[in-house]
Amino acid sequence: MSKESYIGGDYIETTGGDNLSFAKGSIVNSSETQFLQKGEKEGVSYAVNQAAPSIGDLDLIKVVINTSYDVCHDEVTGFDNYENFWILEDKGKYYHWLNSRTNTLDKNKPDPLPVTLAGTDNFILKATFKTKNPIECNIRLKDTDNKFVFQQQKHPRKNKDEEHEITFSCTTKPYKDTARYLENFTLNFEFSEDGTNWIPMKSVRFCLYLTWKKPLFSTFDTGSAETMQIKCRANRNKENICETLLWLGCKPGGAVVTDDETMIDSIFDQFKSLKIVRRREQRWQAEGLGYWRNASMGSFQRGLRTLLRDGEARCGEWTDFFQHILLTQGLPVGSDTIGICTEMAVTDYSFPSNPSDPTAYSQTSSAYKPVPISYQFAVKNAIHSDASNPTKTTGDSPGQGNPRSQPLFVDHYWFYYNKGKRFYDASYGKTYNRTDSTLVKYCSDNLSSVFMLNAARTTGSIVTSNLHNYIRATKNLF
């Protein structure tokens, strides 16, 4: 029978029961005008994660990829929160693909499952086969785009229903020096008894995140109870990376990149729109993750896990967010930050000012004015409008996911790329080249006014020029 059928007119197929179609290759339906399917009573439905019957004498049933890190949901709550770790369990072992998911906690996990590899890694996986009829054969696999060349392997003769594991290795690195997000990465397995005639087996799909370099997991934040060094206790404390960090790090990729700064710029371009959504966004699709919005305007759990889980936070979390995206791409930027604050933040709120402390706000401009005392600054388009009321402003202060974010601060914090000597402010989606990355320029562009108090703190005033002379900083970049 021909593999293709050509029909000059209408084609109508009627069946009194179910109609199941399976093929060794792809099923392609096409028409010059339209192709319609409809159910007269309940419509057409498409099953999820339903395996087709195996073709031939050998069945592919499990795949595990040799990864340094697994992927977890942004909303993972702890090391024991198994349902939010993107792995699958079968008979006490863990996999990245199963022909059939039997653990109830795996039923709602993504399909295809997210997996991450570094572009500098060899692609190695272990596949488990089940013999339907005892045969000895060769097995080969390749991805749909023919980028990865795996070494062909021999499957020995096994008893009926016996399971056998085979390791496949690819030593080529087709995506080296790039980052890639391959949403439906597909591996196609085939077997042959004579080495000439190849019979298709099941295809396996993953959502593959290929990072630029190996992630610097050891420098992820550990400074809070909600550490970013997340581990899955069920799977021998395997290290995990939150999916959105990988998504935002890999999604802009494609071109070959050989220098750090180009990679950083390509990732930061996403922040300029002031709309960053999570990989599996359900709540903030229209607005994006928020800066000083709702709960984060009051008392809330500080830390990057809060931003990833709840969808909003402040400048500290947004800076950590951008840093950790870069760390997933192997960029060593764990301590690259800068902060500014007012004099009152030091005198009244105990911000550190000891020069020996690298996080202290100890740097000031040559014309710094400690009196009158700087109380708070207004940012962006917001400006103090009443010298008798430091909380009164006019104008809006747009930030990430929030066109009217908090306008007044005693401090602010953003990413300073030490190696490139450049500013990247994730909260406001603004970056500067090396020449313009000075605090004089930053304050002129981003602070609109500073509210001042006299020494007795009885009289207020508003300053709108040379604002850098009224702030302290953690680095002397005036």
Side-chain angles (χ1 to χ4, degrees):
M1 179 179 178
S2 171
K3 294 182 179 179
E4 299 175 306
S5 297
Y6 298 91
I7 300 169
D10 295 335
Y11 173 67
I12 300 173
E13 182 177 3
T14 304
T15 176
D18 295 336
N19 185 356
L20 303 177
S21 298
F22 303 98
K24 293 182 179 180
S26 300
I27 297 176
V28 178
N29 295 313
S30 61
S31 169
E32 290 186 359
T33 54
Q34 56 184 327
F35 179 81
L36 301 176
Q37 286 182 296
K38 68 177 182 178
E40 293 297 332
K41 293 183 179 180
E42 297 181 358
V44 175
S45 63
Y46 296 89
V48 176
N49 197 41
Q50 179 178 337
S54 61
I55 300 172
D57 297 317
L58 205 59
D59 202 3
L60 174 65
I61 59 174
K62 308 172 191 177
V63 174
V64 59
I65 295 177
N66 183 21
T67 64
S68 297
Y69 308 99
D70 280 333
V71 185
C72 63
H73 197 305
D74 299 326
E75 298 181 7
V76 64
T77 56
F79 293 1
D80 292 317
N81 185 208
Y82 173 73
E83 56 267 40
N84 280 323
F85 287 101
W86 299 154
I87 53 171
L88 307 171
E89 185 272 335
D90 182 72
K91 299 177 182 177
K93 294 184 179 181
Y94 296 91
Y95 301 87
H96 297 109
W97 179 87
L98 292 175
N99 179 48
S100 179
R101 300 183 184 187
T102 57
N103 188 324
T104 56
L105 295 178
D106 291 337
K107 297 291 187 179
N108 294 323
K109 291 181 180 180
D111 185 11
L113 204 72
V115 176
T116 186
L117 289 170
T120 53
D121 287 345
N122 290 330
F123 198 151
I124 301 173
L125 63 86
K126 184 180 292 184
T128 304
F129 302 90
K130 187 174 183 179
T131 302
K132 296 177 65 180
N133 291 303
I135 59 168
E136 184 176 310
C137 62
N138 295 317
I139 301 178
R140 68 184 185 185
L141 74 150
K142 58 185 178 181
D143 66 291
T144 302
D145 295 328
N146 292 317
K147 296 291 187 180
F148 290 98
V149 180
F150 289 88
Q151 297 172 351
Q152 191 177 128
Q153 298 295 326
K154 181 175 289 294
H155 187 285
R157 183 179 295 273
K158 293 291 179 180
N159 296 325
K160 187 177 187 303
D161 293 332
E162 186 175 355
E163 295 182 7
H164 182 65
E165 292 182 340
I166 297 179
T167 298
F168 295 86
S169 299
C170 174
T171 56
T172 60
K173 300 172 183 176
Y175 295 107
K176 189 175 183 295
D177 295 325
T178 69
R180 292 295 180 100
Y181 163 58
L182 304 175
E183 186 175 7
N184 286 291
F185 176 77
T186 304
L187 289 173
N188 301 305
F189 287 76
E190 298 176 302
F191 78 90
S192 173
E193 294 184 75
D194 58 13
T196 301
N197 299 298
W198 291 90
I199 300 174
M201 304 178 72
K202 290 187 177 70
S203 295
V204 177
R205 289 189 307 137
F206 303 100
C207 177
L208 184 60
Y209 297 101
L210 286 168
T211 60
W212 187 47
K213 297 178 181 178
K214 185 173 181 177
L216 298 175
F217 188 88
S218 63
T219 59
F220 280 23
D221 175 53
T222 58
S224 67
E226 293 195 320
T227 174
M228 293 308 299
Q229 291 189 5
I230 301 168
K231 300 176 183 179
C232 178
R233 189 158 290 139
N235 190 19
R236 300 167 299 163
N237 285 323
K238 180 73 176 285
E239 296 169 335
N240 276 252
I241 300 175
C242 290
E243 188 173 5
T244 289
L245 300 179
L246 291 163
W247 187 52
L248 294 174
C250 296
K251 185 159 60 81
V256 171
V257 178
T258 57
D259 66 286
D260 294 5
E261 199 161 328
T262 300
M263 179 61 71
I264 293 173
D265 283 340
S266 69
I267 293 171
F268 190 81
D269 280 346
Q270 300 169 100
F271 286 76
K272 294 178 180 178
S273 67
L274 299 184
K275 180 182 176 181
I276 295 289
V277 297
R278 292 169 289 195
R279 169 63 179 90
R280 302 184 187 278
E281 187 62 73
Q282 294 183 329
R283 183 180 180 188
W284 301 111
Q285 190 66 50
E287 301 91 338
L289 303 182
Y291 174 62
W292 276 88
R293 181 177 65 197
N294 301 333
S296 61
M297 295 181 67
S299 177
F300 75 112
Q301 174 70 49
R302 300 302 302 266
L304 176 53
R305 294 268 291 279
T306 295
L307 176 57
L308 289 172
R309 180 182 61 246
D310 298 339
E312 57 172 303
R314 300 178 183 175
C315 60
E317 288 76 21
W318 275 94
T319 302
D320 288 346
F321 185 32
F322 183 57
Q323 282 178 297
H324 279 75
I325 295 170
L326 301 182
L327 291 172
T328 68
Q329 302 304 309
L331 289 156
V333 296
S335 60
D336 292 14
T337 59
I338 187 169
I340 58 175
C341 78
T342 62
E343 181 68 19
M344 187 170 284
V346 172
T347 59
D348 286 38
Y349 304 137
S350 301
F351 280 39
S353 59
N354 184 348
S356 63
D357 182 350
T359 64
Y361 295 84
S362 57
Q363 303 298 323
T364 59
S365 69
S366 58
Y368 184 69
K369 299 175 176 60
V371 178
I373 301 167
S374 56
Y375 170 31
Q376 58 186 0
F377 49 79
V379 297
K380 293 295 195 179
N381 300 324
I383 186 170
H384 291 94
S385 56
D386 187 343
S388 65
N389 184 355
T391 65
K392 189 172 182 180
T393 60
T394 58
D396 294 325
S397 178
Q400 292 289 349
N402 189 359
R404 298 177 182 82
S405 63
Q406 167 73 22
L408 301 172
F409 299 98
V410 298
D411 74 314
H412 184 55
Y413 188 78
W414 67 95
F415 178 73
Y416 176 65
Y417 177 42
N418 286 328
K419 182 180 177 181
K421 302 185 184 304
R422 290 183 56 191
F423 290 160
Y424 295 84
D425 191 336
S427 301
Y428 296 106
K430 194 160 188 177
T431 184
Y432 288 92
N433 62 30
R434 181 182 290 226
T435 300
D436 289 338
S437 291
T438 67
L439 288 172
V440 174
K441 174 69 171 172
Y442 184 89
C443 292
S444 175
D445 286 357
N446 298 286
L447 309 188
S448 56
S449 61
V450 180
F451 194 91
M452 315 295 294
L453 290 172
N454 64 0
R457 303 192 183 189
T458 57
T459 303
S461 60
I462 298 169
V463 175
T464 58
S465 61
N466 294 320
L467 302 182
H468 57 280
N469 289 330
Y470 302 93
I471 65 143
R472 290 178 168 272
T474 59
K475 288 182 173 67
N476 187 12
L477 301 177
F478 298 96

